[in-house]
Amino acid sequence: MDTNVDVIVVGAGITGLVTTFLLKEKGVNVLLIEKNTRAGGQLCTVNDDGFLFESGPNTGVVANKDVLDLFNQLGDECTLQTARKESKVRLIWKNGRFCPLPSGLADAVTTPLYSWHDKIRILFEPFRPKGNDPFESIASLTRRRLGKSFLNYAVDPFISGIYAGDPETLVTRFAMPKLYNLEHHYGSFIRGAIKRHPVLAEERKQGISKEIFSVKGGFKNLVSTLETRITPKHLRLGAGKIQIEPVENGWKVVLPATGESYFTPRLISTVPAYALPELFPFIEEKELHPITSLVYAPVVQVGVGMYNGSLIPQAFGGLVPSCEHEKILGVLFNSSCYDDRAPLGAASLSFFIGGMRHPEWVNLPEEEMVAIVTDALHRMLGYPLGTAPDKIHIFPHPRAIPQYQADTEQRLNTVCQLEKKYAGLVLAGSLRDGIGLADRIKQATQLASL
């Protein structure tokens, strides 16, 4: 006989965990099911003799009130950590050295990152006509409004840092909606930034700071805290292949590994797009294709520990523009941001390799990845030749980050069509609504409010 459950959530990544936690806090009879034996999805922290390395996302942004609300609910069990003020500096690699990304007007005038032509041209940005292509790429929008050097040495590395993607293929309206709205609603980036001052002031009153955050002890502590608060009664890990079938007034969900069988009127999927065919075999492949065709950037993250941390800048990290033709996308200076990432005087770093421009590099032999990182330590960070990483952990992710490209609108429309066709079904997760941790928490909050 089936056990009745108000809501079943499939997928115990950050979206599924937060959705389940919030529903349970509201007194909803909810069950979270995960095929693997570990919760957290890509969120996983490794501690190697006091060096903390994240195998997945390293940071989030305090971009909405839902982030603050979640950590307030978790209380002292899970401490939100914002990055040191000194680490707000972003570095951009150009012509063999790291240059700080301008943070003010004076820096913008003197920086070697942008051409004088584009520095002068930006003065006229408020007077340029508004674009009319809803599928315009980030690269096209940047060239049109700011110029090629701003694309090469600001936007391109920024997109590499977020999406590991190519700004020529990412659609602004979906991948960077706030940037799109500045032009669409205000006609200009500069004009929009000025007119949004009152909105930003109100956000600051609510605690929304846009600061970079992590969790004390690493994101594994966020995962474990959510697991504990959800309790084993509402969580099934190691469920293996899940059998789901639409039935009258809801859904039947069977866990063959344990023989458990459930009925629920509401089923929320938070699994990646490529996992949907196995989860919903009763949906024809051609129906799912606009969703399952979502492209994911392959990324290798290499965690490096150096007992001598004296050469690491007090900065958030260094990004490498694609036009510089280096073999890394960038490097995060984790221990410059948070004081619990490395032993005293040491450094914890995260190097990134691959992305959409070089997807094949995710399959490089480990010794080649070590060689790439070691070369970056020497040439980019100034470690003497012959210096090797004291600690190294390689985390390959063949399908790491969804790419919101020109097919995004069709994918979103298909999600809506399937949710209408199958009553009680919700298709969520990073296949829509943003890829950042703040986006995932916001989506989970919305799901728990429906």
Side-chain angles (χ1 to χ4, degrees), residues 142-158:
T142 305
R143 277 192 295 265
R144 180 168 55 79
R145 298 211 69 86
L146 302 177
K148 185 177 180 180
S149 66
F150 281 91
L151 171 62
N152 287 345
Y153 289 99
V155 173
D156 174 276
F158 178 73

Side-chain angles (χ1 to χ4, degrees), residues 405-435:
Q405 299 178 342
D407 59 354
T408 301
E409 187 165 74
Q410 185 182 9
R411 180 170 66 257
L412 298 178
N413 289 337
T414 302
V415 168
C416 291
Q417 292 165 8
L418 289 173
E419 290 180 345
K420 287 179 181 178
K421 181 176 180 179
Y422 296 98
L425 175 64
V426 179
L427 299 177
S430 61
L431 58 86
R432 62 177 175 90
D433 300 336
I435 64 167

Side-chain angles (χ1 to χ4, degrees), residues 6-152:
D6 295 334
V7 181
I8 287 180
V9 180
V10 182
I14 186 62
T15 310
L17 284 167
V18 176
T19 301
T20 305
F21 165 70
L22 295 176
L23 286 170
K24 181 177 176 291
E25 290 292 292
K26 293 180 178 181
V28 175
N29 182 16
V30 58
L31 179 66
L32 174 60
I33 301 173
E34 167 60 47
K35 67 180 291 186
N36 298 309
T37 56
R38 185 188 67 83
Q42 292 195 24
L43 290 180
C44 183
T45 311
V46 173
N47 188 333
D48 185 347
D49 290 336
F51 290 94
L52 290 188
F53 305 113
E54 301 286 1
S55 72
N58 285 265
T59 59
V61 180
V62 186
N64 56 60
K65 193 169 181 295
D66 298 322
V67 173
L68 298 171
D69 289 343
L70 173 65
F71 282 95
N72 285 335
Q73 285 183 268
L74 296 176
D76 294 338
E77 299 171 58
C78 188
T79 304
L80 179 76
Q81 250 186 340
T82 53
R84 293 190 184 104
K85 291 181 180 178
E86 298 86 352
S87 67
K88 287 186 176 181
V89 177
R90 267 69 169 170
L91 304 176
I92 305 294
W93 183 257
K94 184 176 183 180
N95 296 335
R97 68 187 181 98
F98 277 121
C99 304
L101 192 67
S103 59
L105 181 59
D107 293 339
V109 171
T110 59
T111 181
L113 292 174
Y114 315 133
S115 69
W116 276 106
H117 176 269
D118 286 345
K119 289 176 185 177
I120 295 171
R121 189 172 178 269
I122 199 172
L123 297 174
F124 301 95
E125 190 273 338
F127 309 103
R128 294 198 176 91
K130 183 167 65 174
N132 56 13
D133 179 5
F135 298 98
E136 185 174 24
S137 72
I138 295 171
S140 173
L141 174 67
T142 305
R143 277 192 295 265
R144 180 168 55 79
R145 298 211 69 86
L146 302 177
K148 185 177 180 180
S149 66
F150 281 91
L151 171 62
N152 287 345

